[in-house]
Amino acid sequence: MPTYCSDIPLSDSNNCTNPWGEDCTSKAGFQFTSLWNFTRNILAACANDTRLFLPDEGFATPQNASLTQESCAAIAGSGWTYYPTPDIWNRLTTWKFPLLQLVASFPRPPLSFNVECLVILHLLGDPIDTMKNLTLKMSICQSIALHWKKCGMLPETPAEINSDGPWEDRDRNWKALAIITEAYGEWNEDRVAQTAMEEALFNFRSNAKAKDDFMKAVRQTGRALAADRSTKFLPIIVALLFFIGAVAIALFRTAASAGHTALSDTVFINVEAHSIAFSAQYFWIIPAVFLSSMIGVSQTEAAIPRILRRFQADLDRLNLPKRVQMPNHCLKDLGEDQRRIFYGGTYSWQPSKWQSKNHLSSKSRTPRPSATTTPRYEPLNQNLAANSRDSTASAAPSASITSTSCQNPPDFSHALLAYAILILSTVTGMIVSGLVPPDGFDCRHLGQLSICAAWIISALADLLVNYLWPLSSNKLSTLFWMTVVKDFVITVATMGGVIVTQVGVFNRCSCYTLWGKTGLALPERPDIAQTLFHRLNTVYPAVTFTSIGIMLVIVPLYLCTRYRDALRVFVQRDDRRSNREWLWKARSKLRATQRRLRKILSWFRLGRSKPQRAGTTGSAAEQGDATGSQELQTLTQPMSEEPEAISSDNEGRPADEISQSTSGNTQNAQSESSSVEPPLPSGSNPLPRPEPRRRNTEQQEKAEQIRRKPVPTASPLQRSQYRSL
């Protein structure tokens, strides 16, 4: 019958020759509290007991006492022990359920229930391929948007633009053409649609009415597609912020529950840190959800086909000089044709974009002009400069842009970004786990690497299937269900691995001794408790939120910068207004505030300035009053030769004085320029005499008379003296 260590009391007779609890076992298995009590009993009996991990000094102390892996396995067993059920549920709700909330908010195209299940399974089972296809979708839309911006055949502003304000969307033309082209891309017909609309613009280049009618139909269809696309940009941002808040609250709650000494019987910081590490492996969900929210999805399965059919009907009803035929033969229900699922309708899974060139035969997709084929409208570059309003060479599109803009071949940058995001999440988890005592590479790192390896294998398997499996009509269903099964297996394996770590599969001796390289690192040991509490308040939050910041700020900022025009296409509004309306309003308010401040400052300066006495030299700005400003304006403007130009200045003066002053202008001017003014009468305040100035024209003489008018700020005596001059 085994002897349980908990039943053996510690007595004074225990020593190095009579050790405590020899050959006893633990009822609870691998449990932190019981193992720490056994360690202290062994240390109290003999400080150099062979069951203790002895440092270089040869003796264990209460600060560093720990069991060896062999003694731990003899007491607790070599297997693993379940965590208490309340602790398992608490860690799942704290660290795992917020991630599942982000998964549930991932936009899914409303093609069918099976497709929605595939999108969720593909997100969890193959995150690399999911992010790779989402970035590819943004890249294709960016190429389409850049092509229409540089087309050179579009009017600068829409014809129906009004004066509602600067926040009105003035790029509606190219954004409408881009979103229509992108809509046909769900059937892999984007290049055909682009070619048809570009030919129409070229054919109507000399017919202003036909071109205007065509663009009105394009803008109306673009608004309908923009209204149908649900981007859910703001709700996703709010969900991400709630996720960050949940992680922060969980960290602070763990620190509060553990106490200031990190010695708690219910909350162990090392186990919580490992829970953070395994949750960090799923931080790639943040950029994946952000990407999908930027692209958005349609409201219903039939919405886009209905809008595109109405677009063709509108074009036919316009009676254009030449009929514009859009590729509407592909707009079929999923019951008749499932091409939309495989050729671009499922944004996170696009097998047609990664197919081998040998498999993309004419039977499986619509033929398209190659890069070496000369378009039928090749004279576009030569004729556009002569027929369009903008005759610059930069406005004319080249044939190479026309033939290759929609379907850029997938490059390694999309896959490289997806791999980098996934590896960064895994590295974050491994850093946190590596900083949990005992520091170093332990068994949990093997679990984290296994989960990451499963995702990489899933991505490689998907790429291999797409490369080897041709997309033919009789094999589409097989490819779909093969992908569903593969993603389901990987999802169960990875999510199951995370769950078993929360249950306690790593709750064993070897995982806390680095496979016997160090002593058993129990959280109750004083030095380990101090280290854990310090890192919980410093290192663990720093590493965690740095990774979250990269996923939430750096990666989205890079995507928004690189695919700026694609983002404008996907999130455009249907009310002819710009998404930057708030920016224009803020700019207008800022300018109004600046004008008010300038006005207040000018009043303040005018109020503090002293009035200058009449006859002083200087400009109106130096005098600083309203009269000076009026005089400066009068002196700088050319004077009129009409009698009314000086009639206002002679109001209130006798007629003989007016005639006398008018007849003697020339003599007075010459006498003023050659003589010195007589002194003022005695008893009066002397006024400064103005410098003699030359009078060359009649206008300057009239300006001099106006300048000699008395200023309002002069005293009555000064005004009479000044008038006598």
Side-chain angles (χ1 to χ4, degrees), residues 181 195 323 388 434 508 515 553 689:
T181 307
T195 303
R323 188 173 187 270
S388 63
R508 59 178 69 193
W515 296 286
V553 178
R689 289 175 295 181

Side-chain angles (χ1 to χ4, degrees), residues 265-280:
D265 295 335
T266 57
V267 177
F268 300 101
I269 296 179
N270 55 349
V271 180
E272 299 297 329
H274 287 307
S275 298
I276 297 173
F278 278 92
S279 297

Side-chain angles (χ1 to χ4, degrees), residues 287-469:
V289 172
F290 180 83
L291 261 173
S292 62
S293 67
M294 287 197 306
I295 298 174
V297 292
S298 178
Q299 298 292 330
T300 61
E301 174 189 342
I304 294 180
R306 181 176 61 251
I307 295 172
L308 296 180
R309 292 192 187 99
R310 188 177 62 191
F311 176 52
Q312 182 66 63
D314 292 340
L315 294 178
D316 296 339
R317 189 166 50 249
L318 289 175
N319 295 323
L320 298 173
K322 187 174 181 180
R323 188 173 187 270
V324 181
Q325 180 61 49
M326 303 300 294
N328 286 358
H329 60 277
C330 62
L331 306 179
K332 299 179 181 179
D333 296 334
L334 291 179
E336 302 176 6
D337 188 4
Q338 296 183 347
R339 286 167 48 87
R340 185 180 181 184
I341 299 176
F342 300 90
Y343 285 87
T346 309
Y347 306 147
S348 60
W349 181 62
Q350 304 181 69
S352 65
K353 302 299 187 295
W354 306 94
Q355 284 278 305
S356 172
K357 293 182 180 179
N358 297 329
H359 296 158
L360 293 178
S361 59
S362 59
K363 296 181 180 180
S364 60
R365 71 173 190 175
T366 304
R368 300 187 179 195
S370 61
T372 59
T373 302
T374 303
R376 287 177 293 174
Y377 44 92
E378 183 183 7
L380 174 65
N381 295 334
Q382 291 78 14
N383 295 337
L384 184 61
N387 295 303
S388 63
R389 290 180 294 118
D390 187 6
S391 60
T392 59
S394 59
S398 61
S400 60
I401 295 178
T402 302
S403 59
T404 62
S405 60
C406 283
Q407 287 292 336
N408 288 337
D411 53 18
F412 290 102
S413 63
H414 310 299
L416 183 62
L417 179 62
Y419 277 99
I421 293 173
L422 182 71
I423 292 175
L424 177 61
S425 301
T426 303
V427 169
T428 302
M430 294 182 68
I431 290 175
V432 174
S433 291
L435 294 176
V436 177
D439 298 349
F441 188 86
D442 61 6
C443 54
R444 287 179 175 82
H445 291 99
L446 295 178
Q448 293 163 354
L449 289 176
S450 300
I451 294 174
C452 182
W455 285 329
I456 294 176
I457 292 173
S458 177
L460 295 177
D462 193 83
L463 186 63
L464 184 63
V465 169
N466 291 333
Y467 186 83
L468 298 177
W469 196 273

